Amino acid sequence: MTLPTNEQIPDDPNQLPPARRRRARRLLAPLDADERAAFLDDLAHRASPSFDFFLFSLLAGAVLSIGLLLNSPAILVLGAILAPLMAPAVGVSLGTVIGSVRFFVRSLAGLLIGSLLVLLVGVLAGYAIRPWLPVDLSQAHLQAQLSWPNFLVLAVGAILTAAAMVNPEGHPGVPSVALAYGLYIPLVAAGLGLGSGVPHLWPDGVVVYAVYLAWGALLGAATLAIMGFRPLTLFGYTLGAAVTLTGVILLIGISGAGAAVGGQVALPTPVPSVTPTVTATLTVTPTPIPPTLTPTLTVTLTPTLTPTVTPSPTPTPLLALVRANVANGALLRETPGGKVIRGYINNTLMKVFPEVVVQDGRTWVHVQAPDGTIGWMDQAVLLTATPAPNW
């Protein structure tokens, strides 16, 4: 008499019997605890960083650097296509949602090492262009600022990459390109600023990268939670809450919430009041001298008013909004048509000065940004309800 052997649980879901495979496809998560553990092991193996991940990160950083130096969006897309599969980013989301500290730290460390390689390539490219400064880095300035279109691309990439990674028949290639586009380009821009010394690229690009990374991990974790993955311990919820809080704090910290206060918008302008002052002066009046009297002096006080300067009230400055045709915003330059200082997204409130310069058929307006930076901006990208002189 022979005893039946125990059923073996295969690591590959495609090796399940047909009936169980059809049942598994109807569910968002594996069937039982054993299959769940096997599935998580397989997913963790695929999400772990490899040598190819680091190698293609270097290649993508080099191509993205060329794209930013040439201000070519097409080359930027090519660099994102050449980037490796962003599986470690999904590993960070998976470690967050299941509460695995070891897997979370391993995936995050691998992703950060690959990102550091991309940053170093940008630094080398920045050092290489030092002899030719100043150069036009308008695309780098736009990529080093938080942009809602870029954030949307990153969000879609994070969600679809996580969904494709947990699906045995999924293909995360295209979503991974969107995820690499959102994460790697700000890092390359920061490296260019660090290597070349151009202001407002470093550390702005690193801050944007941190915001995108936190929200990418959060959206990926939310996608995995919807697909049936849940934390196994209370620490899993704590880790997810920490990632959520980090993303919210970073997003609020670099938003334009303080632009109105920084630009003194709608705040009263103090007008000094005039207080007249009276100054007393001594006037000596001689009295006729009688023959028998000694001369005497009579002191008469004659008040005189000293005119004071009446200050004129400060005129209300002209304000204008950045309204460029492109979603990323417009550029602020040192001189009309000169070196780029930095870029500002649409709806940024600018203080407009009276100076206007027409050069090569374009009208340049002297403006001040909410952060205090003063420069020149093309009049065509500014919108104001009250026109200024020579506007």
Side-chain angles (χ1 to χ4, degrees):
M1 178 177 177
T2 58
L3 296 176
T5 58
N6 293 331
E7 181 183 2
Q8 299 295 325
I9 304 298
D11 292 340
D12 187 0
N14 293 323
Q15 296 180 6
L16 292 172
R20 300 184 65 191
R21 190 185 312 147
R22 288 192 297 270
R23 182 184 173 193
R25 288 174 180 173
R26 291 194 297 267
L27 298 177
L28 294 178
L31 297 174
D32 51 34
D34 293 336
E35 291 174 346
R36 176 187 173 92
F39 183 79
L40 288 178
D41 289 341
D42 177 70
L43 182 59
H45 176 72
R46 289 188 290 126
S48 298
S50 61
F51 176 76
D52 290 342
F53 176 79
F54 303 125
L55 178 63
F56 280 96
S57 293
L58 283 172
L59 177 61
V63 177
L64 292 175
S65 299
I66 297 174
L68 290 181
L69 292 176
L70 298 179
N71 292 316
S72 174
I75 298 182
L76 294 180
V77 174
L78 176 62
I81 293 175
L82 295 177
L85 180 66
M86 303 301 288
V90 180
V92 173
S93 300
L94 182 63
T96 301
V97 76
I98 66 176
S100 174
V101 180
R102 180 180 61 86
F103 185 60
F104 176 85
V105 173
R106 184 178 64 182
S107 301
L108 181 61
L111 181 61
L112 292 180
I113 292 175
S115 302
L116 181 61
L117 294 176
V118 173
L119 178 66
L120 291 178
V121 173
V123 172
L124 294 177
Y127 273 112
I129 64 172
R130 277 181 177 265
W132 293 276
L133 291 178
V135 295
D136 186 9
L137 296 176
S138 56
Q139 192 65 230
H141 282 281
L142 294 177
Q143 296 293 342
Q145 297 187 44
L146 185 64
S147 169
W148 291 113
N150 287 358
F151 184 84
L152 179 61
V153 170
L154 174 104
V156 173
I159 293 173
L160 296 183
T161 303
M165 284 288 292
V166 299
N167 185 2
E169 299 178 357
H171 300 283
V174 175
S176 177
V177 171
L179 190 57
Y181 185 94
L183 290 178
Y184 277 176
I185 295 183
L187 273 182
V188 176
L192 286 176
L194 182 61
S196 64
V198 176
H200 304 298
L201 290 179
W202 168 270
D204 296 17
V206 176
V207 175
V208 174
Y209 166 80
V211 174
Y212 287 171
L213 176 60
W215 278 94
L218 176 61
L219 293 173
T223 302
L224 295 176
I226 293 175
M227 299 185 70
F229 293 91
R230 297 291 187 274
L232 302 178
T233 62
L234 180 62
F235 181 79
Y237 293 99
T238 305
L239 183 59
V243 174
T244 303
L245 183 61
T246 302
V248 172
I249 291 176
L250 289 174
L251 185 62
I252 294 176
I254 68 170
S255 67
V261 177
Q264 297 294 314
V265 178
L267 296 181
T269 302
V271 178
S273 59
V274 179
T275 303
T277 58
V278 179
T279 303
T281 59
L282 297 177
T283 302
V284 179
T285 304
T287 305
I289 305 173
T292 57
L293 298 177
T294 58
T296 60
L297 295 178
T298 302
V299 178
T300 304
L301 298 178
T302 304
T304 60
L305 296 177
T306 301
T308 58
V309 179
T310 303
S312 59
T314 303
T316 303
L318 177 69
L319 302 176
L321 291 174
V322 176
R323 289 293 176 85
N325 293 330
V326 296
N328 287 334
L331 300 176
L332 185 68
R333 301 177 183 269
E334 288 185 353
T335 57
K339 179 182 177 182
V340 174
I341 300 178
R342 66 175 304 172
Y344 292 92
I345 62 176
N346 285 335
N347 296 323
T348 301
L349 198 61
M350 294 288 181
K351 182 187 295 184
V352 181
F353 298 114
E355 294 85 1
V356 176
V357 175
V358 178
Q359 178 177 311
D360 297 331
R362 300 174 68 179
T363 303
W364 297 92
V365 184
H366 201 197
V367 298
Q368 181 179 9
D371 57 7
T373 305
I374 298 178
W376 295 82
M377 189 168 285
D378 192 349
Q379 176 188 350
V381 300
L382 294 175
L383 177 65
T384 176
T386 305
N390 301 324
W391 185 264

